[in-house]
């Protein structure tokens, strides 16, 4: 229900794209019911002409040589997978023009310092970084990288996943944002507030607005 609410917000706000920073699924082996609901909701976005851009979190990644469930949705033309196991840079053609995207999927924290060196800044007028990791600024164990190590200033906006509560900071003029999960998954995440971020990249500096969710 809350994922449907996110879709409704996207359609109502006429966004150019929905960006998801990982762990779309809670397991790399989703059951048929989970696939059904994902298909039903994502089809509404597709029919509205809104692409769903996603990077793989650890829950989306198979533990052995197997297919991530994100690829199934991509084959159905419901999502565009930005990266699954290694960094990748791409340029997406959206309704308002081109958007350069540097994508960093989940990697173990001990590898993050080396893997981030593979990330190339996109050659586009507007640039975002989408990554599934834990910032050192959060002050929690097993963090991956700091904002400086991510080279956040190379981008107009940084969209992050893996931390389930809302958190935002800036690096120079670049917003660095965790919208948080759309619902609480355990008692430690219990909160009466859940959000999606509305990001405007049409001006010189990105601006971030928030839409509160109600169905979680």
């Amino acid at each position: 229900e809350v994922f449907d609410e996110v879709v409704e917000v996207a359609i109502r706000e006429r966004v150019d794209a929905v960006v998801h920073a990982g762990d779309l699924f809670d397991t790399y082996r989703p059951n048929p019911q989970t696939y059904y609901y994902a298909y039903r909701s994502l089809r509404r976005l597709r029919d509205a002409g809104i692409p769903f851009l996603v990077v793989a979190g650890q829950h989306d990644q198979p533990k052995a040589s197997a297919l991530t469930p994100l690829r199934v949705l991509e084959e159905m033309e419901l999502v565009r997978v930005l990266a699954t196991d290694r960094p990748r840079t791409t340029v997406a053609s959206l309704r308002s023009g081109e958007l350069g995207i540097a994508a960093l999927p989940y990697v173990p924290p001990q590898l993050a310092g080396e893997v981030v060196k593979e990330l190339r800044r996109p050659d586009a007028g507007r640039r975002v970084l989408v990554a599934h990791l834990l910032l050192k600024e959060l002050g929690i164990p097993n963090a991956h990288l700091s904002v400086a190590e991510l080279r956040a200033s190379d981008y107009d906006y940084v969209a992050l996943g893996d931390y389930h509560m809302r958190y935002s900071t800036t690096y120079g003029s670049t917003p660095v944002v965790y919208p948080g999960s759309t619902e609480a998954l355990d008692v430690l995440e219990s909160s009466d507030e859940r959000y999606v971020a509305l990001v405007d990249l049409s001006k010189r500096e990105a601006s971030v607005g928030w839409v509160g969710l109600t169905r979680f």
Side-chain angles (χ1 to χ4, degrees), residues 36 56 115 119 132-133 146 156 166 188 196:
Y36 169 76
V115 172
L119 203 56
H132 190 90
L133 53 76
S146 68
D156 299 298
R166 186 173 77 161
L188 296 177
V196 290

PDB file of all heavy atoms in Angstrom, residues 36 56 115 119 132-133 146 156 166 188 196:
ATOM      1  N   TYR A  36       4.051  -9.920  -8.202  1.00  0.00           N
ATOM      2  CA  TYR A  36       2.757  -9.434  -8.692  1.00  0.00           C
ATOM      3  C   TYR A  36       2.539  -7.982  -8.292  1.00  0.00           C
ATOM      4  O   TYR A  36       2.171  -7.137  -9.114  1.00  0.00           O
ATOM      5  CB  TYR A  36       1.625 -10.308  -8.167  1.00  0.00           C
ATOM      6  CG  TYR A  36       0.257  -9.712  -8.402  1.00  0.00           C
ATOM      7  CD1 TYR A  36      -0.326  -9.732  -9.670  1.00  0.00           C
ATOM      8  CD2 TYR A  36      -0.443  -9.102  -7.365  1.00  0.00           C
ATOM      9  CE1 TYR A  36      -1.567  -9.171  -9.894  1.00  0.00           C
ATOM     10  CE2 TYR A  36      -1.687  -8.531  -7.578  1.00  0.00           C
ATOM     11  CZ  TYR A  36      -2.243  -8.565  -8.841  1.00  0.00           C
ATOM     12  OH  TYR A  36      -3.468  -8.003  -9.052  1.00  0.00           O
ATOM     13  N   ALA A  56      21.125  -1.664  -7.279  1.00  0.00           N
ATOM     14  CA  ALA A  56      20.938  -2.846  -6.432  1.00  0.00           C
ATOM     15  C   ALA A  56      21.511  -2.628  -5.038  1.00  0.00           C
ATOM     16  O   ALA A  56      22.661  -2.204  -4.881  1.00  0.00           O
ATOM     17  CB  ALA A  56      21.597  -4.067  -7.073  1.00  0.00           C
ATOM     18  N   VAL A 115      36.457   0.365  -4.733  1.00  0.00           N
ATOM     19  CA  VAL A 115      35.417   0.300  -5.767  1.00  0.00           C
ATOM     20  C   VAL A 115      34.992   1.699  -6.200  1.00  0.00           C
ATOM     21  O   VAL A 115      34.737   1.938  -7.389  1.00  0.00           O
ATOM     22  CB  VAL A 115      34.215  -0.514  -5.258  1.00  0.00           C
ATOM     23  CG1 VAL A 115      33.037  -0.419  -6.234  1.00  0.00           C
ATOM     24  CG2 VAL A 115      34.604  -1.978  -5.073  1.00  0.00           C
ATOM     25  N   LEU A 119      34.265   4.702 -10.210  1.00  0.00           N
ATOM     26  CA  LEU A 119      33.115   5.514 -10.577  1.00  0.00           C
ATOM     27  C   LEU A 119      33.553   6.715 -11.395  1.00  0.00           C
ATOM     28  O   LEU A 119      34.454   7.465 -10.994  1.00  0.00           O
ATOM     29  CB  LEU A 119      32.404   5.975  -9.298  1.00  0.00           C
ATOM     30  CG  LEU A 119      30.933   6.376  -9.395  1.00  0.00           C
ATOM     31  CD1 LEU A 119      30.100   5.254  -9.974  1.00  0.00           C
ATOM     32  CD2 LEU A 119      30.425   6.764  -8.013  1.00  0.00           C
ATOM     33  N   HIS A 132      24.131   2.881  -2.829  1.00  0.00           N
ATOM     34  CA  HIS A 132      23.581   2.118  -1.706  1.00  0.00           C
ATOM     35  C   HIS A 132      24.717   1.847  -0.736  1.00  0.00           C
ATOM     36  O   HIS A 132      25.519   0.915  -0.920  1.00  0.00           O
ATOM     37  CB  HIS A 132      22.964   0.808  -2.205  1.00  0.00           C
ATOM     38  CG  HIS A 132      22.173   0.093  -1.156  1.00  0.00           C
ATOM     39  ND1 HIS A 132      20.823   0.321  -0.965  1.00  0.00           N
ATOM     40  CD2 HIS A 132      22.520  -0.826  -0.225  1.00  0.00           C
ATOM     41  CE1 HIS A 132      20.384  -0.438   0.021  1.00  0.00           C
ATOM     42  NE2 HIS A 132      21.394  -1.139   0.490  1.00  0.00           N
ATOM     43  N   LEU A 133      24.787   2.676   0.299  1.00  0.00           N
ATOM     44  CA  LEU A 133      25.895   2.567   1.258  1.00  0.00           C
ATOM     45  C   LEU A 133      25.558   3.346   2.521  1.00  0.00           C
ATOM     46  O   LEU A 133      24.577   4.086   2.579  1.00  0.00           O
ATOM     47  CB  LEU A 133      27.193   3.085   0.634  1.00  0.00           C
ATOM     48  CG  LEU A 133      27.194   4.484   0.003  1.00  0.00           C
ATOM     49  CD1 LEU A 133      27.234   5.597   1.045  1.00  0.00           C
ATOM     50  CD2 LEU A 133      28.401   4.631  -0.921  1.00  0.00           C
ATOM     51  N   SER A 146      32.916   8.405   3.563  1.00  0.00           N
ATOM     52  CA  SER A 146      32.465   9.738   3.943  1.00  0.00           C
ATOM     53  C   SER A 146      31.929  10.459   2.708  1.00  0.00           C
ATOM     54  O   SER A 146      32.145  10.022   1.568  1.00  0.00           O
ATOM     55  CB  SER A 146      33.626  10.537   4.539  1.00  0.00           C
ATOM     56  OG  SER A 146      34.584  10.826   3.526  1.00  0.00           O
ATOM     57  N   ASP A 156      25.230  17.262  -8.827  1.00  0.00           N
ATOM     58  CA  ASP A 156      24.216  18.228  -8.406  1.00  0.00           C
ATOM     59  C   ASP A 156      23.375  17.694  -7.252  1.00  0.00           C
ATOM     60  O   ASP A 156      22.800  18.476  -6.491  1.00  0.00           O
ATOM     61  CB  ASP A 156      23.296  18.561  -9.585  1.00  0.00           C
ATOM     62  CG  ASP A 156      24.053  19.180 -10.738  1.00  0.00           C
ATOM     63  OD1 ASP A 156      24.632  20.267 -10.547  1.00  0.00           O
ATOM     64  OD2 ASP A 156      24.093  18.577 -11.835  1.00  0.00           O
ATOM     65  N   ARG A 166      15.206   9.082   7.615  1.00  0.00           N
ATOM     66  CA  ARG A 166      15.522  10.263   6.820  1.00  0.00           C
ATOM     67  C   ARG A 166      16.757  10.970   7.391  1.00  0.00           C
ATOM     68  O   ARG A 166      16.875  11.179   8.595  1.00  0.00           O
ATOM     69  CB  ARG A 166      14.341  11.236   6.796  1.00  0.00           C
ATOM     70  CG  ARG A 166      14.579  12.414   5.870  1.00  0.00           C
ATOM     71  CD  ARG A 166      13.354  13.294   5.716  1.00  0.00           C
ATOM     72  NE  ARG A 166      13.133  14.157   6.871  1.00  0.00           N
ATOM     73  CZ  ARG A 166      12.365  15.247   6.842  1.00  0.00           C
ATOM     74  NH1 ARG A 166      11.734  15.583   5.731  1.00  0.00           N
ATOM     75  NH2 ARG A 166      12.204  15.972   7.927  1.00  0.00           N
ATOM     76  N   LEU A 188      13.250  -0.886  15.938  1.00  0.00           N
ATOM     77  CA  LEU A 188      14.249   0.166  16.038  1.00  0.00           C
ATOM     78  C   LEU A 188      14.001   1.281  15.026  1.00  0.00           C
ATOM     79  O   LEU A 188      14.506   2.389  15.183  1.00  0.00           O
ATOM     80  CB  LEU A 188      15.652  -0.423  15.850  1.00  0.00           C
ATOM     81  CG  LEU A 188      16.109  -1.420  16.917  1.00  0.00           C
ATOM     82  CD1 LEU A 188      17.495  -1.972  16.570  1.00  0.00           C
ATOM     83  CD2 LEU A 188      16.120  -0.774  18.297  1.00  0.00           C
ATOM     84  N   VAL A 196       9.081  10.619   0.911  1.00  0.00           N
ATOM     85  CA  VAL A 196       9.837  10.561  -0.335  1.00  0.00           C
ATOM     86  C   VAL A 196      10.365  11.968  -0.607  1.00  0.00           C
ATOM     87  O   VAL A 196       9.771  12.964  -0.174  1.00  0.00           O
ATOM     88  CB  VAL A 196       8.992  10.081  -1.536  1.00  0.00           C
ATOM     89  CG1 VAL A 196       8.663   8.610  -1.395  1.00  0.00           C
ATOM     90  CG2 VAL A 196       7.723  10.910  -1.699  1.00  0.00           C
TER      91      VAL A 196
END
